[in-house]
Amino acid sequence: MLARLDPQRKIGVGAALAASAGAVMSVAPHFGWTTLDRPWSFLAGFAFGLLAGVGAMTAIVGLVECRKERVS
């Protein structure tokens, strides 16, 4: 799905994913999500960390593709 997006949309989608996952990770201790039972707190942290990583990677790929289009 992400391969078919143009570079500007990749930047937008990636930035939105990374920002929303980062926001959830920053407010998780406030809501007590870090004190969940053992497997659930790990899974929640892993899922949001993975989501933030995928979002950052998607935004960076979009930036590189934009740069390639400008240079060519």
Side-chain angles (χ1 to χ4, degrees):
M1 179 184 128
L2 291 176
R4 291 184 286 172
L5 294 176
D6 60 341
Q8 288 81 13
R9 290 188 192 265
K10 284 182 185 177
I11 294 169
V13 168
L17 281 175
S20 61
V24 168
M25 285 190 289
S26 66
V27 299
H30 177 70
F31 290 123
W33 294 343
T34 57
T35 60
L36 294 173
D37 289 335
R38 179 69 177 154
W40 297 113
S41 63
F42 171 76
L43 289 175
F46 182 76
F48 286 114
L50 190 64
L51 190 63
V54 167
M57 182 258 330
T58 304
I60 291 171
V61 167
L63 288 170
V64 169
E65 289 178 0
C66 276
R67 178 68 178 153
K68 284 182 181 179
E69 287 178 2
R70 287 186 184 170
V71 171
S72 300

